[in-house]
Amino acid sequence: MEGFGYLMQGFAVALTPYNLLWCFIGVFLGTVIGVLPGLGPAATIAMLLPLTFKMEPTGAVIMLAGIYYGSKYGGSTTSILLNVPGESASVVTCFDGYQMARRGRAGAALGIAAIASFVAGTFGVVGLMLVAPPLARFALSFSSPEYFSLMCLGLAMVVLLAGKSMIKALLAMLVGLWIAGMGTDLFTSTSRFTFGHAELLDGVDFVVVAIGIFALGEVFGNMEVREGAQMLPAPKGLRNLLPTWRDLKDCRFAFLNGSLVGFVIGVLPGAGSTIASFISYGIEKAVSKHPEKFGTGVVEGVAAPEGANNAETGGAMVPLLTLGIPGSGTTAILLAAFILWGLRPGPLMIQDNPTLFWGLVASMYIGNVMLLILNLPLIPLFAQILRLPTYMLYPFILGISIVGVYSVSGSLFDTWMLAIFGLLGYAMRKLDYPSAPLILGFVLGDIMERALRQSLMMSQGDLTIFVSRPMSATMLFLAVLILLAPLFRKANALRVKAISS
Amino acid sequence: MKSRYGVLAAALLLAVAAAPLHAQGFKPSKPIEFMTHTGPGGGGDVFARGIAAAMEKEGLMPVRMQVVNKTGGGGATAMAYLVNEKKGDTHIIAVFTGLWFTNPIMRKEAKFTMKDLTPVVRLVLEPAMVAVKNDAPYKSLQDFIDAAKQSPGSLKQSAGSLGSRDWIVRQLLMTNTGANWAYISFPGGGERIAALLGGHVNMMVIEPQEAGEHIRAGNLRVIATVSDKRLPAFPDVPTIQEAGFKIPNVPQVRGIVAPPGVPAEVVAYWEDLFARFIKTPSWQKYLADNMFQDGYMRSAELAKFGDQFSDTTREILKAGGVKVAR
C-alpha cells in the first residue's frame, strides 16, 4: 500500500493551517464566481495568477484547483433560482432545477445539487487517485472517430429531450447545429455565416446563447403577465428548504450515474463538462420509471447533471497531471500556472513531485467537504431572492445577464447577440418549441463536425473507420438503440393493449 | 520608497538608453491598458500578464499595466478597436502575434491590417520542433519525408488551422521535397499532442514547452527544430535547414503594437522601456522557462519585418491554394 502512505503524506501537507487557508479561499472564491453568471473559473484563475507568484507552489496549486472545482458547486444556484446558467456546465440544471423552484422547492433543488456535487466531486477525486495512469492511456486511445460516435450518442439524446412534438425538437436541434457552425471553419479557414461581422469569426459564445435563450426568454415571457401575480413561490418551512429523505432515495442512481459519466467524460480531453451533464441527464431520463416527468421539476434531473459536472473536474485532472494535456480553458490556464511555478505536469509528475500531487489530491477531499459545509447554510439565504416581487426580480435577472455576458468578452456586440437570443428564446416559448435540443445541438455540433472531418482525413475518406474501431462501434450502436427506443415503447404499448383487449 | 525607485529608474534610463532625449518627452500618467486578443488563459493573455507582472516586480514603470481582453475574430476585433476607438491614445498598447499578420490576409471580415497600427517592438521568437512518437521508425526528418513520398497522403500531421505556422512549415517542406501528407486540424494544442501520443497521427510541429516532459519520459522523439539556431535544451537536434532542407525559417513572433497616430516620442518611450525590460532577470527567466528566444526589434525594423513576413505568408498561402482577401 505505497499509495496509501503517499495519501497520508498528502493529508499531512494539505492539513497544515497555511494550506487549509488557501484551500478555503480557493473554494470560497470558486463558489462566488460560480454563482455569478459570465465570469468563469478560467478568467478568475488568470487574473489571480500574478498574485500567486509569491506563494509557495503547493498552496497556490491547492487554491487555484479549489477555484476550479468550487465554481461547479456555485454554478447551479442561479440555474435553479433564476434560470440563468451560472456556468456553461450548469445549463442542464436549468431544465428541472428551475421548474422545482417554480413549484416552491428551490431549497430542495439547491440542496440536492450541493449533495450531488459533493458525492460526485469526491468520487472524481477517488478516481483521480486510484486509476489516473491507466485512465490516461484510455484517454489516448480515444481519438476523432470515437469522439464522433460519442457526439452521435449525445445527439441521439434529442429523442429523450423532446417534449410533445418530435418534429419541433428536431427543428430546434437543427437551429442549434446551425449556430454551432457559425464562425471560422477550422479546416479551410473560411468564414461561415458571419454576415460580414468580424465579431462572428470566432463563432458565438456559449454563454450568450444559453443565457439569452434561458434567462432572457424567461424574463420576456413573464413580462407579458401584466399583473404581478406570477411571483415565484418562496420555499416555506424547513421541509422545503432541504431535500427530504425521499429525494435522496430517488437520487441514489443519479448520484452514481452522474459520478461515473462525469468522471469518464472528464478524462477525455476533447469533450467537456457540458456534454457530461447532458449525457448523464439523458441516461437518467432513459432509465427512469417516470421519464415523462423530466423537465417538470424532478429531483433526479438536478442530481445527475450536477453530479456529472463536478465529477468531471476530477476526471479532467487526469490528463492534465499525467499527460500535461488540458481539456478545457480552465485546465489550460491551470497548466500555464503549473509551468510558471516550474512544475511540469506530464508523465513524470507524480514520480517527480509526489508531495505536490498527493497534497493536491488530499486538498480536493478536504475542499469538497468545505464546499458542502459552505453551501448548505447558504441555501436559505439564496432562496430569499425569490421573495423579491417580480417587478424587481426580472430587471435584476436582466441586469446580471447583461453584465455576465459583457464580462466575458468586453464587447457590446455580444450584448446585442444576447438580446437576439433572448428574443429567439421568447419566440420558441410562445410557439412551444423546446429549448433543450437547441442547446444540445449547439454544444455538440462543433465537436461532432470536427471529429467527422478529422476521422475521414485519417481514413482517407473511408467511412468504415467508425465501425471498425470497437469503442466507436459500441457508441454508435447505443445511439441507434436510443433513437429506436420510442418506437420500441410504442410497439410495446400496442402489444399490451392488444393483449389486454 | 516609490519615488526613490522612480529616480533610480530615470537614472538608469539615462545611463542605458541610447536615445534618452526624445524619450524624456513622454511618461505615462495613468494606468496603461494592455490589450490582448485572447480570452483569459489564452496564449496572448498569459504573455501579457507575464509582462505586466514582471514590469511590476522590476519596478520599471511609474504606473500599472492593466490587462484587457478584447476577444473575437482571430484578433480582428482587437485590431478594429485600436483603430476605431483608440486612435492617438497614448495609454494603450497591445500584444500582437503572427495571427495579426495572417488573419487580415485571409479574411475579408477583418477590416484592418498591421499597417494600420503603430509598430512598437518585437519581443520574442517562439521556436518549434518536429516531433514523432518514440516508437516510430523515423529517426530523422529525411526518414519521415522518404516515408511520406513512398505512400503519398497516408502519413498524418496533427496540427492547428490552415495558415498557421505548422501549416506553412508543411507547405514549404512539401513543395521543397515533393512529398505529401495529410494535415489534420485540431483546435487545441492538447488534442494535437493526444492524437500524436495515441498513435492516431505520425508527426506534429510542437512547441518545446509542450513536448519537454514527453521527451524526458521517452514518449516523443524530436527530429528537427523550427528555429534559426539549435535550441540550448536540445543541442543534438538539427534545425530543418541543417537537416538538409533549403526552406526559409518560419518565425512565430510576439511583440507590442500601439494604435495609429501615436506620437514618435511615445513609441520611443516604449522602445527604451522594453530594451531595458528584456535584460531583467524576471524576463530572462520567463524566456528560459518557456524556451522562447529573444527577438527584440525596434519599431522601424519591426515595420520592415512585418511587410516581409506578410508578403512571404501571402505567397505561401496562394501557392497552397488558399483564397487571400488582400
Side-chain angles (χ1 to χ4, degrees):
Chain A
M1 278 314 282
E2 199 189 4
F4 184 74
Y6 275 129
L7 181 64
M8 287 301 111
Q9 267 180 24
F11 271 108
V13 172
L15 282 171
T16 57
Y18 180 78
N19 286 336
L20 271 180
L21 176 70
W22 289 124
C23 184
F24 179 76
I25 293 177
V27 298
F28 178 76
L29 277 176
T31 305
V32 172
I33 56 136
V35 171
L36 298 171
L39 191 68
T44 313
I45 294 174
M47 283 179 237
L48 287 179
L49 204 50
L51 298 179
T52 62
F53 290 157
K54 292 193 186 93
M55 289 169 64
E56 185 260 327
T58 312
V61 171
I62 286 175
M63 181 182 84
L64 296 187
I67 295 176
Y68 174 38
Y69 58 80
S71 70
K72 300 288 177 75
Y73 272 76
S76 57
T77 308
T78 46
S79 300
I80 291 168
L81 294 175
L82 308 174
N83 214 24
V84 183
E87 295 301 317
S88 54
S90 39
V91 64
V92 183
T93 312
C94 290
F95 301 167
D96 278 281
Y98 183 65
Q99 293 305 324
M100 280 180 78
R102 294 191 61 154
R103 289 169 37 198
R105 300 211 66 213
L110 289 169
I112 210 77
I115 294 167
S117 298
F118 172 72
V119 172
T122 307
F123 179 92
V125 188
V126 174
L128 167 67
M129 182 180 82
L130 294 179
V131 289
L135 258 184
R137 279 196 290 282
F138 159 75
L140 287 181
S141 69
F142 217 85
S143 190
S144 308
E146 284 77 22
Y147 279 113
F148 175 74
S149 302
L150 177 66
M151 297 306 130
C152 286
L153 183 61
L155 219 49
M157 298 286 174
V158 70
V159 304
L160 301 164
L161 293 171
K164 279 157 256 161
S165 158
M166 186 63 73
I167 300 285
K168 285 184 171 176
L170 289 174
L171 276 172
M173 188 184 79
L174 282 177
V175 174
L177 288 172
W178 173 61
I179 300 169
M182 288 180 173
T184 301
D185 174 16
L186 180 70
F187 297 86
T188 60
S189 285
T190 44
S191 341
R192 297 194 296 205
F193 304 113
T194 57
F195 306 101
H197 289 287
E199 290 90 343
L200 283 174
L201 280 178
D202 289 347
V204 188
D205 197 281
F206 180 84
V207 176
V208 176
V209 179
I211 295 188
I213 291 194
F214 282 87
L216 261 57
E218 175 75 17
V219 170
F220 294 157
N222 282 303
M223 278 194 316
E224 282 184 349
V225 188
R226 286 191 65 93
E227 301 306 314
Q230 248 276 324
M231 197 152 57
L232 290 180
K236 289 190 193 75
L238 197 64
R239 215 180 73 83
N240 281 319
L241 271 178
L242 287 173
T244 60
W245 188 241
R246 231 202 105 176
D247 289 337
L248 286 175
K249 250 176 82 182
D250 285 344
C251 288
R252 270 175 312 183
F253 179 76
F255 291 148
L256 181 71
N257 159 22
S259 302
L260 271 175
V261 170
F263 182 69
V264 172
I265 294 201
V267 170
L268 306 173
S273 53
T274 315
I275 289 166
S277 47
F278 258 113
I279 290 187
S280 72
Y281 183 85
I283 292 179
E284 198 59 38
K285 187 169 177 183
V287 302
S288 169
K289 288 195 194 78
H290 47 81
E292 71 287 351
K293 285 196 191 142
F294 274 70
T296 62
V298 290
V299 72
E300 306 97 288
V302 177
E306 270 308 304
N309 71 42
N310 280 277
E312 195 263 355
T313 55
M317 289 285 183
V318 172
L320 177 71
L321 296 176
T322 61
L323 297 171
I325 291 178
S328 67
T330 317
T331 41
I333 179 82
L334 274 178
L335 179 67
F338 280 114
I339 291 165
L340 280 172
W341 292 311
L343 309 163
R344 301 164 171 184
L348 305 174
M349 174 156 169
I350 301 180
Q351 213 171 296
D352 288 357
N353 270 312
T355 329
L356 183 108
F357 175 80
W358 291 100
L360 177 63
V361 167
S363 85
M364 288 174 77
Y365 282 112
I366 299 165
N368 271 291
V369 175
M370 281 183 183
L371 280 165
L372 188 68
I373 299 172
L374 188 69
N375 276 269
L376 284 179
L378 285 178
I379 290 170
L381 194 73
F382 279 132
Q384 294 307 315
I385 203 168
L386 297 181
R387 289 187 191 281
L388 284 175
T390 32
Y391 64 81
M392 286 171 72
L393 186 62
Y394 289 123
F396 175 69
I397 298 179
L398 213 55
I400 64 164
S401 299
I402 293 171
V403 171
V405 164
Y406 187 79
S407 73
V408 174
S409 65
S411 106
L412 273 179
F413 185 85
D414 276 358
T415 327
W416 285 109
M417 292 294 288
L418 177 73
I420 293 173
F421 282 107
L423 289 176
L424 177 67
Y426 171 67
M428 288 175 68
R429 174 179 307 249
K430 289 298 275 186
L431 301 170
D432 208 17
Y433 279 82
S435 47
L438 186 149
I439 297 288
L440 182 72
F442 178 61
V443 171
L444 303 181
D446 196 25
I447 307 178
M448 187 171 181
E449 184 205 340
R450 226 156 50 207
L452 174 67
R453 292 168 72 179
Q454 284 162 351
S455 308
L456 291 177
M457 284 163 116
M458 285 180 184
S459 70
Q460 297 186 284
D462 186 358
L463 277 167
T464 55
I465 189 171
F466 298 111
V467 288
S468 61
R469 298 170 61 123
M471 260 197 295
S472 166
T474 314
M475 284 184 290
L476 279 181
F477 178 70
L478 285 175
V480 173
L481 272 190
I482 292 177
L483 283 175
L484 295 179
L487 295 180
F488 284 140
R489 210 169 275 159
K490 231 174 231 168
N492 206 22
L494 283 177
R495 211 176 53 216
V496 171
K497 219 174 183 182
I499 292 169
S500 58
S501 62
Chain B
M1 280 300 278
K2 263 240 162 87
S3 63
R4 211 192 292 164
Y5 280 127
V7 173
L8 199 69
L12 267 174
L13 189 144
L14 280 167
V16 177
L21 275 176
H22 52 269
Q24 275 171 333
F26 172 77
K27 209 174 182 192
S29 53
K30 57 175 189 189
I32 293 290
E33 268 188 85
F34 195 14
M35 200 172 70
T36 159
H37 76 274
T38 67
D45 179 72
V46 174
F47 185 75
R49 283 176 207 277
I51 291 178
M55 281 280 185
E56 196 147 316
K57 198 172 163 197
E58 300 286 346
L60 287 180
M61 284 186 67
V63 293
R64 285 199 52 204
M65 292 176 99
Q66 184 71 46
V67 176
V68 187
N69 307 85
K70 278 278 175 221
T71 61
T77 312
M79 293 170 83
Y81 179 74
L82 286 176
V83 177
N84 293 334
E85 319 264 336
K86 293 286 169 181
K87 194 169 188 158
D89 190 327
T90 53
H91 284 74
I92 182 168
I93 52 174
V95 172
F96 73 83
T97 67
L99 190 67
W100 288 42
F101 295 100
T102 50
N103 196 50
I105 297 177
M106 293 192 291
R107 326 307 302 277
K108 62 178 185 299
E109 287 90 344
K111 303 279 188 307
F112 303 102
T113 71
M114 282 289 276
K115 291 189 95 56
D116 296 308
L117 306 173
T118 308
V120 178
V121 289
R122 195 180 79 172
L123 281 178
V124 297
L125 294 172
E126 297 174 25
M129 311 192 297
V130 182
V132 297
K133 231 183 139 194
N134 209 20
D135 55 14
Y138 327 111
K139 303 280 183 230
S140 66
L141 187 54
Q142 190 65 53
D143 288 352
F144 178 84
I145 300 282
D146 288 345
K149 271 188 190 162
Q150 246 165 37
S151 47
S154 70
L155 293 190
K156 304 160 204 107
Q157 172 183 0
S158 68
S161 62
L162 204 139
S164 60
R165 192 240 308 254
D166 43 6
W167 182 83
I168 293 177
V169 170
R170 165 182 175 260
Q171 291 304 112
L172 289 171
L173 278 175
M174 291 202 322
T175 331
N176 185 267
T177 62
N180 180 14
W181 63 88
Y183 182 87
I184 304 187
S185 300
F186 292 86
E191 288 169 68
R192 282 168 224 160
I193 305 174
L196 182 64
L197 289 173
H200 308 287
V201 298
N202 311 87
M203 184 268 268
M204 174 178 171
V205 174
I206 194 170
E207 285 162 32
Q209 177 61 254
E210 290 178 299
E213 283 306 281
H214 292 291
I215 295 166
R216 208 157 68 85
N219 296 337
L220 293 185
R221 183 194 310 140
V222 193
I223 53 177
T225 65
V226 186
S227 54
D228 287 329
K229 45 184 194 284
R230 294 190 182 203
L231 302 181
F234 303 94
D236 302 329
V237 181
T239 65
I240 292 184
Q241 290 74 18
E242 285 173 345
F245 300 91
K246 297 282 164 268
I247 62 167
N249 185 39
V250 189
Q252 180 93 312
V253 291
R254 277 185 209 282
I256 309 289
V257 284
V262 171
E265 58 189 34
V266 178
V267 175
Y269 171 82
W270 290 118
E271 283 178 326
D272 294 338
L273 179 76
F274 278 103
R276 277 179 292 133
F277 176 69
I278 54 169
K279 297 202 180 79
T280 60
S282 304
W283 185 246
Q284 290 299 327
K285 183 176 178 305
Y286 180 85
L287 290 182
D289 284 351
N290 288 286
M291 299 195 214
F292 291 161
Q293 293 176 331
D294 175 42
Y296 181 79
M297 249 185 198
R298 285 174 174 266
S299 173
E301 292 170 276
L302 172 58
K304 240 181 277 159
F305 165 83
D307 290 349
Q308 239 169 33
F309 183 78
S310 299
D311 290 344
T312 332
T313 310
R314 188 180 297 108
E315 288 317 308
I316 298 169
L317 283 165
K318 275 202 233 161
V322 179
K323 239 191 3 213
V324 297
R326 53 171 71 80

